[in-house]
Structure formats: structure tokens, C-alpha cells
Amino acid sequence: MNIRKVIFAGIMTALIGAMFGLALTKIAQREQRKTIFLIGGAALGFVIGAFQESIQQQRKLKDDEYRDSDSEF
């Protein structure tokens, strides 16, 4: 598994999550909770992005493994 890809995907989705947090702050009109929404959105985005990328890489490894075993027969 390529850990750099996992971290990069996590950081990119963390940025998107932070933007959602800022948008939620504006929509809810709760400026005093801006940092909570920002950090919460970024943390949730990082977890989702890293998890999704690790699942994709595991699936790719499994497909390559099956492809190798099929070629033996």
C-alpha cells in the first residue's frame, strides 16, 4: 500500500471538509463556533479520504493477486 497516496487523499478531502465546515458556519450563522466546525470538518474529511484511498488500494492489490493466480492455470 502506498502510504503517500493515502495521506495525500486524506489531506485533500480534509481541505474539502474544512470548506464544508466554513460553509456550515455561514449557513447556521454561528460565528462563535467557527473553529469547531472547521476542525471537525477537516478531521472528518481526512478520515474519509484516507479510508477511501486505502480501500481502493486494497482492492487494486486484490485484483492484481487474482490476476496472477489466474495466469498460472
Side-chain angles (χ1 to χ4, degrees), residues 22-34 37:
L22 287 175
L24 188 62
T25 302
K26 293 292 182 183
I27 291 170
Q29 296 178 352
R30 299 198 179 218
E31 293 293 325
Q32 66 273 16
R33 295 186 182 174
K34 186 176 186 177
F37 285 135

Side-chain angles (χ1 to χ4, degrees), residues 1-65:
M1 184 180 325
N2 191 349
I3 196 71
R4 284 183 174 176
K5 281 187 174 181
V6 172
I7 291 174
F8 181 74
I11 290 172
M12 289 298 114
T13 52
L15 291 174
I16 294 169
M19 293 303 123
F20 279 133
L22 287 175
L24 188 62
T25 302
K26 293 292 182 183
I27 291 170
Q29 296 178 352
R30 299 198 179 218
E31 293 293 325
Q32 66 273 16
R33 295 186 182 174
K34 186 176 186 177
T35 57
I36 295 171
F37 285 135
L38 182 67
I39 292 171
L44 188 62
F46 183 83
V47 169
I48 290 171
F51 182 71
Q52 180 185 10
E53 182 64 29
S54 65
I55 293 295
Q56 286 179 356
Q57 287 190 14
Q58 288 293 329
R59 186 178 298 147
K60 193 180 296 184
L61 285 172
K62 188 171 81 173
D63 288 345
D64 290 344
E65 202 172 281

